[in-house]
Amino acid sequence: MSLYRFSQYPFRNGKQAQNRVVVPPMASKTADADGFVTDASRQHYQRLAEANAGIIFVEYSFVHQTGKGEANQMGASNDQQIAGLADLAAIIQKKGSLAGLQLVHAGGKTTTEITGTPLMAPSSIMVPVKDRPLEIPVSMTVEQIQEWVESFVQAAHRADKAGFDFVELHAAHGYGINQWLSPITNQRFDEYGVNIQGRSKLLFDIINRIKLEIPNILVAVRMPAQDHSEGGLEVHEMFWVVKQLENLGVDLIDVSSGIGGWRRQDGRTTEGYLVSDAALLKQSSSLPVIGVGGIETGKFIDEIICQRKVDFAAVGRAILKGPREWALVQMSS
Ligand SMILES: Cc1cc2nc3c(=O)[nH]c(=O)nc-3n(C[C@H](O)[C@H](O)[C@H](O)COP(=O)(O)O)c2cc1C
């Protein structure tokens, strides 16, 4: 079998991924208490860059203090943070990888101790997570929704100023935008709820503004193909969402899990445990797709690209363990 993992992938604007391996966003907890990049963050991404991946996503970074998810989370919420983020983009690009920055608002999946303000979400419904009860958030007003959109757009401007090739909107794992998409957490009756058209309006509003104001930056969306929870997002709804994302000019979709978080669902034990979900969404548009979930070997990556299940494979923990070592073993022909 030919070695699909090594093939380049052309995006817009002359940007090209040097191969089909992606380092997915992974929180390093290296930022300082105000979300600024530290020397430990620089070292961390220097190490990850040794994987020589096609794309490396810098971890989830909060777009506004009200959406901060944990202490030592990276921030893209003010202009002073741009310089540190620019260091990370440069470290990644120096090794030939495209650099992405993942943007997030945690919505109701955080604590008031961290945000300092009441938790914001589409509806006053506790976000279901496996291991702990969360606080009940406050349902947002239309004015607050517009402020959210603005926070994402301003953070995308910062990613652009920092020199990132990609901005990735985090719409998975039960964080803010996932809460808007999911019928479990979005039970609104206004234009931002009711059906999948309404529930995805906020995501589309953010993308429309980014495309209008920062047309050059590549846009990725990390999203579930389904929530994998009773009463949650279903595949047929996400088929429709992907089609709209294609029409809006999104460049890449990164398919992970939904409202319950990123961890492996019970019963999914094989390498590539979420690749079948990525393959489902790949059918509904011509957008390139990243698959993820326990992927460890170059051989497996070749197989899933050859079978047209995905275009890219994200390798998280296997690369985190030893980026250089992983590349030496799995990326040598
Ligand atoms: C330490 C750690 C931190 C993570 N942080 C994020 C994050 O910031 N954003 C995100 O979308 N996913 C995050 N994830 C999920 C990973 O991107 C990936 O989807 C998950 O680890 C499954 O891939 P793997 O089996 O190759 O590790 C994190 C995972 C790990 C292990």
Side-chain angles (χ1 to χ4, degrees):
M1 186 193 295
S2 46
L3 300 175
Y4 289 86
R5 76 196 96 143
F6 294 110
S7 52
Q8 299 171 339
Y9 190 95
F11 288 99
R12 287 184 294 122
N13 302 337
K15 310 242 183 216
Q16 179 154 286
Q18 61 188 356
N19 59 50
R20 303 304 182 92
V21 175
V22 172
V23 177
M26 286 181 286
S28 65
K29 303 181 198 275
T30 58
D32 73 10
D34 298 315
F36 282 77
V37 163
T38 63
D39 282 344
S41 323
R42 290 182 191 86
Q43 280 158 24
H44 178 76
Y45 283 96
Q46 194 86 54
R47 183 173 169 273
L48 283 183
E50 298 289 327
N52 289 317
I55 311 171
I56 299 183
F57 284 103
V58 167
E59 65 205 69
Y60 77 153
S61 302
F62 59 93
V63 297
H64 193 274
Q65 174 65 30
T66 54
K68 185 172 177 179
E70 59 178 337
N72 304 107
Q73 185 183 2
M74 225 162 257
S77 59
N78 70 58
D79 287 352
Q80 285 72 46
Q81 288 158 337
I82 296 173
L85 293 170
D87 290 345
L88 303 187
I91 285 167
I92 291 167
Q93 289 159 344
K94 204 166 167 207
K95 297 291 279 179
S97 307
L98 295 176
L101 179 66
Q102 190 186 48
L103 301 179
V104 70
H105 192 295
K109 193 175 173 179
T110 178
T111 65
T112 46
E113 199 185 329
I114 289 173
T115 60
T117 47
L119 306 189
M120 307 170 99
S123 305
S124 230
I125 294 170
M126 187 173 78
V127 181
V129 293
K130 250 188 187 168
D131 49 347
R132 59 194 190 281
L134 293 175
E135 295 166 57
I136 295 179
V138 177
S139 172
M140 283 159 68
T141 63
V142 170
E143 199 184 12
Q144 286 172 325
I145 292 173
Q146 283 156 1
E147 283 165 11
W148 251 52
V149 173
E150 191 60 33
S151 301
F152 271 98
V153 175
Q154 292 314 319
H157 274 289
R158 293 182 191 108
D160 182 47
K161 287 184 185 143
F164 281 92
D165 304 291
F166 269 103
V167 70
E168 180 173 85
L169 303 173
H170 196 350
H173 304 172
Y175 288 103
I177 301 176
N178 195 168
Q179 293 158 30
W180 283 90
L181 290 173
S182 177
I184 295 176
T185 39
N186 181 347
Q187 296 186 3
R188 296 176 76 97
F189 294 105
D190 64 3
E191 57 177 338
Y192 294 93
V194 182
N195 50 28
I196 189 61
Q197 285 79 0
R199 287 185 267 118
S200 45
K201 177 169 164 41
L202 179 133
L203 172 63
F204 298 164
D205 284 355
I206 294 169
I207 295 169
N208 268 322
R209 285 274 311 277
I210 294 176
K211 297 302 287 183
L212 194 69
E213 295 178 27
I214 328 169
N216 283 337
I217 201 157
L218 300 174
V219 178
V221 179
R222 194 160 219 207
M223 58 194 288
Q226 51 194 319
D227 266 335
H228 289 289
S229 292
E230 175 108 30
L233 271 174
E234 292 181 15
V235 176
H236 69 91
E237 296 178 304
M238 296 313 273
F239 274 165
W240 180 82
V241 172
V242 171
K243 206 69 213 150
Q244 309 314 306
L245 295 182
E246 184 177 29
N247 294 339
L248 291 175
V250 163
D251 297 280
L252 179 63
I253 57 170
D254 182 0
V255 182
S256 191
S257 41
I259 204 82
W262 64 265
R263 278 163 221 282
R264 201 185 277 263
Q265 287 91 25
D266 298 341
R268 293 202 169 206
T269 53
T270 53
E271 182 168 13
Y273 57 86
L274 277 167
V275 166
S276 53
D277 279 22
L280 281 173
L281 290 195
K282 185 159 169 59
Q283 292 168 18
S284 61
S285 82
S286 60
L287 285 176
V289 172
I290 306 175
V292 71
I295 301 175
E296 299 199 336
T297 62
K299 183 172 172 289
F300 182 78
I301 296 171
D302 285 340
E303 277 167 22
I304 57 176
I305 297 173
C306 173
Q307 293 161 357
R308 297 182 190 277
K309 290 183 173 165
V310 299
D311 301 278
F312 289 90
V315 180
R317 287 162 291 182
I319 284 184
L320 199 57
K321 259 192 269 164
R324 185 202 291 262
E325 295 74 11
W326 188 87
L328 270 175
V329 176
Q330 305 298 342
M331 294 301 282
S332 58
S333 43

